[in-house]
Amino acid sequence: MHDELTAITEFAEETAQQAGELIIQQRRGGNLKHDYKDATELVTQADIEADEFIAQRIQQAFPKHRILSEEAMPDLAQAENLDTPLWIVDPIDGTVNYAYGHAQVAVSIAYAEKGRVCAGVVHCPFQQETFMATQGQGALLNRMPIEVASATELRRSLIATGFPYGKDEIPTLVRRLERVLTHCRDIRRIGSAAADICWVACGRLDGYYESVSPWDFAAARLIALEAGATCGHFSPVPEGYPEDLWGRDLIITAPGIHNALKELLPEPAGA
Ligand code: LIP
C-alpha cells in the first residue's frame, strides 16, 4: 500500500506540474478569456482547460476512480460516496490572483480513499514551488522536508484568512476578523486557500481559518497535517461527512496557538 500511495503522489506531482505549465502559457499568451459563475465568481478559460487536462490524465491512468473538480465535476455529493477512490481537483486555486497577474496561484490535486485524503500535491507554478505529502511520510516543498512553525503566542502569530465571493456573510466575517486582528501579530489575505495552508505547513504563516470548497483545501490540509499542523473546525462537522473534505469553518495552525485562535472564531452569543 505504501508504494502504491507514493506512486499516486508522484503521479499527482507530475500532473500538477504539467497543468502549471499550461496555465503559465495561457497567461503569458495574453487575452485570457473569462466568465462568471453565479454572476460573482470569476472563471477563466485556463481554469477550464487545466481542469480538463487533469481530468483526462486521471481518467486514463485510473479509469475506475471518481473525480470532484471545481470546473468540470463540481458535484459535492461525490465527497460522501466512499465506495471508490476519489480525486479532488482545483485546477487554479487563486483564480482572481491568476487573472490579475499575481504569483499566488496553485494547482491542487488530492487523492482520497473512503473519505480520507492520503495523497496531496499543491503546485505553485509562478513561484516554482511544489508542496506534496503522502499519508504517514511527512511533507515536502520541492522534495525537501518542511515543518510547521513553533509559534506559542497568538499575539506574535501571523494569521491568514480569506473571504467568499458572495457578500452575505461579510458582516460576520468582519467582526471575526476584528477579534483575530486584535489578538494576533497581523493578518494576511493571500487569495489562495491552498497556498495559505501550505504556507502554514512550511512556517511562513502560523495559522489559517476560512470556509472554502473541498477542492480549495483537501490536498493542502494533508500537507499541513504531515508537516505537524493541527487541523480542525470551529463548528461541528455534519455526522457521517468525511472530515477531510468538510470545508466550513476550517482552522489549520501551528499546534501551540490552535486553541487560542479557535476560541476567537465563533460569533459570541448575542453578537
Ligand atoms: C479561492 C480560495 C480563497 C478564497 C477565495 C476563493 P478559487 O478559491 O482559494 O481562499 O478566499 O475567495 O474561493 O475561487 O480561486 O479557486
Side-chain angles (χ1 to χ4, degrees):
M1 193 56 198
H2 167 86
D3 293 343
E4 276 178 27
L5 269 186
T6 303
I8 279 181
T9 307
E10 290 170 352
F11 167 84
E13 177 191 30
E14 183 181 40
T15 302
Q17 289 174 339
Q18 290 179 3
E21 267 314 301
L22 186 158
I23 68 174
I24 286 175
Q25 295 313 320
Q26 281 277 20
R27 193 160 87 173
R28 277 194 186 135
N31 188 29
L32 201 58
K33 294 185 182 64
H34 64 271
D35 199 348
Y36 285 88
K37 294 184 278 192
D38 307 324
T40 58
E41 187 173 345
L42 183 67
V43 59
T44 74
Q45 184 57 31
D47 287 86
I48 294 165
E49 290 185 15
D51 196 303
E52 288 170 355
F53 168 79
I54 293 166
Q56 280 169 10
R57 265 184 67 92
I58 293 171
Q59 287 162 339
Q60 282 166 3
F62 306 98
K64 293 184 179 174
H65 292 185
R66 291 174 298 112
I67 300 172
L68 171 61
S69 69
E70 180 169 14
E71 307 310 337
M73 305 170 192
D75 176 9
L76 290 174
Q78 290 275 27
E80 297 179 85
N81 175 338
L82 308 183
D83 297 339
T84 50
L86 176 70
W87 294 81
I88 307 100
V89 176
D90 191 343
I92 299 180
D93 187 51
T95 294
V96 173
N97 285 351
Y98 178 75
Y100 277 78
H102 299 186
Q104 286 77 17
V105 171
V107 179
S108 178
I109 301 176
Y111 170 78
E113 292 179 348
K114 299 188 187 320
R116 299 310 308 261
V117 175
C118 40
V121 173
V122 172
H123 175 60
C124 302
F126 298 100
Q127 294 170 303
Q128 296 172 340
E129 292 188 329
T130 305
F131 298 86
M132 60 196 280
T134 304
Q135 190 175 47
Q137 297 182 34
L140 304 173
L141 166 54
N142 293 350
R143 292 297 182 113
M144 296 299 288
I146 54 175
E147 64 179 11
V148 74
S150 55
T152 55
E153 286 183 71
L154 185 58
R155 185 62 186 80
R156 294 183 176 181
S157 295
L158 192 59
I159 305 298
T161 190
F163 306 97
Y165 293 104
K167 301 300 180 184
D168 299 347
E169 291 193 273
I170 293 301
T172 299
L173 296 175
V174 168
R175 289 193 295 271
R176 180 175 294 156
L177 182 66
E178 180 183 5
R179 295 195 297 272
V180 174
L181 194 51
T182 306
H183 291 88
C184 74
R185 181 195 299 274
D186 203 350
I187 288 286
R188 290 293 181 270
R189 200 282 193 254
I190 289 165
S192 161
D196 287 331
I197 299 167
C198 286
W199 283 24
V200 173
C202 69
R204 291 178 189 160
L205 291 167
D206 299 304
Y208 161 84
Y209 70 90
E210 191 177 6
S211 293
V212 285
S213 300
W215 43 74
D216 294 322
F217 77 90
R221 180 180 178 279
L222 175 70
I223 293 163
L225 277 171
E226 289 294 324
T230 301
C231 298
H233 298 82
F234 54 94
S235 65
V237 176
E239 186 68 32
Y241 197 97
E243 180 183 355
D244 290 14
L245 300 177
W246 182 250
R248 177 126 190 106
D249 294 343
L250 276 175
I251 171 173
I252 296 174
T253 69
I257 61 160
H258 195 81
N259 292 337
L261 177 61
K262 187 173 179 179
E263 283 172 9
L264 298 175
L265 299 177
E267 185 88 330

